Amino acid sequence: MIDSHAHLNDPHFDANLTEVAERANQAGVEGIINVGYDLESSHKAVALAEEYDWMWAVVGVHPHEARLVTPDTMAELERLARHPKVVAIGETGLDYYYDHSPREVQQQVFHQHLELAAKLNLPVVIHSRDAAQDTINIVKEHPDNRCVIHCYSGSLETAKIYLDLGHFISFTGSVTFKNAAKLREVAAAVPLERLMIETDCPYLSPEPMRGKPNEPAWIEYVAAKLAELHSISVDDLKAITAANARLFFNLK
């Protein structure tokens, strides 16, 4: 399995990172993509990628922090993104649920991330919450970008738009939640060749681990649920999504 979106760069893991990494390996996780959400976490993701040969980094600023982005921020992200183990730009996008940054600022910074990714020929990891139409509109303005919509929580209609544009959809432990019937319908409809799995750890622990900090080893629960939804074996689901992640992120 490949955990296509993790945050082992989160301070939560400072005290037990070695143990978490060992449990991931024992569970069959062969790769982890650690995703930045500000400059500090992006630097940390790169450091982890240097320390572990089976980890890679994504660098960017989450829409919550968009108000803090300056030209110097983007210049530093570009410098980081040229590291050989940085495989994408993100996570970037729009979050209108919390509105921690003004919406127009989020949109501006989203454009800047997409432009940087195109400049460096890197894919983009997109966060979108309660901002489906604006996210789609901006993505359409950048047709050369390759994107994955991480932690997908939108409608089937929105997913089909992304799929028609050639992008990928990634699901977290939320697909296992008891009240997530509609999300499971979406997950079942996403073609296997466009599907990725992730933990978004330490968030969104799957059933039956709800209430505990999430970790990459528990991606197996996401794989099992998606295999059930697609009526294939768990081993096949793991292999397909791992191949998709290797292709999307151009993993070496």
Side-chain angles (χ1 to χ4, degrees):
M1 295 175 287
I2 293 179
D3 187 347
S4 67
H5 192 115
H7 296 293
L8 297 185
N9 47 347
D10 188 281
H12 170 82
F13 294 107
D14 287 349
N16 65 341
L17 179 61
T18 300
E19 292 83 355
V20 168
E22 288 176 354
R23 285 195 292 270
N25 275 164
Q26 291 168 2
V29 178
E30 65 176 7
I32 296 174
I33 313 295
N34 286 307
V35 181
Y37 43 88
D38 57 16
L39 273 183
E40 180 180 358
S41 61
S42 294
H43 276 280
K44 198 168 180 180
V46 172
L48 286 170
E50 291 176 336
E51 182 178 355
Y52 293 87
D53 61 3
W54 52 285
M55 294 186 190
W56 291 266
V58 176
V59 299
V61 178
H62 192 284
H64 285 345
E65 312 301 326
R67 68 194 184 283
L68 304 177
V69 171
T70 67
D72 287 345
T73 306
M74 295 308 300
E76 179 63 8
L77 284 179
E78 179 171 348
R79 188 191 70 79
L80 278 176
R82 294 184 183 277
H83 189 285
K85 290 203 72 179
V86 171
V87 294
I89 299 297
E91 62 187 282
T92 183
L94 304 173
D95 193 310
Y96 294 172
Y97 183 82
Y98 287 110
D99 279 328
H100 288 330
S101 291
R103 295 183 179 185
E104 61 274 15
V105 175
Q106 293 186 45
Q107 294 167 16
Q108 177 185 7
V109 171
F110 189 15
H111 279 293
Q112 291 172 349
H113 279 68
L114 289 164
E115 290 163 1
L116 176 60
K119 178 180 180 179
L120 300 180
N121 192 29
L122 289 172
V124 184
V125 176
I126 292 178
H127 170 105
S128 180
R129 188 172 187 187
D130 286 6
Q133 192 58 56
D134 281 354
T135 305
I136 289 168
N137 291 344
I138 292 175
V139 167
K140 284 182 174 180
E141 290 184 45
H142 300 266
D144 294 333
N145 286 109
R146 295 175 293 123
C147 304
V148 57
I149 316 304
H150 109 91
C151 188
Y152 192 77
S153 60
S155 68
L156 178 57
E157 293 73 21
T158 298
K160 287 180 177 178
I161 293 172
Y162 288 124
L163 293 168
D164 288 343
L165 291 171
H167 302 309
F168 284 70
I169 306 287
S170 182
F171 292 94
T172 66
S174 57
V175 78
T176 71
F177 295 174
K178 294 177 181 177
N179 62 349
K182 289 185 178 179
L183 183 61
R184 284 189 282 276
E185 290 178 8
V186 177
V190 173
L192 286 168
E193 65 269 19
R194 298 288 189 81
L195 189 65
M196 284 192 272
I197 56 176
E198 60 170 289
T199 57
D200 201 17
C201 64
Y203 313 107
L204 298 173
S205 297
E207 299 287 357
M209 301 299 185
R210 294 293 300 276
K212 303 176 182 179
N214 201 2
E215 58 180 80
W218 297 348
I219 198 171
E220 62 182 322
Y221 296 106
V222 183
K225 179 56 66 175
L226 288 171
E228 175 188 325
L229 294 172
H230 282 270
S231 300
I232 63 174
S233 72
V234 177
D235 285 346
D236 284 348
L237 190 285
K238 291 176 180 179
I240 290 168
T241 54
N244 291 344
R246 283 192 290 268
L247 175 67
F248 180 81
F249 291 109
N250 191 27
L251 301 183
K252 306 297 185 185

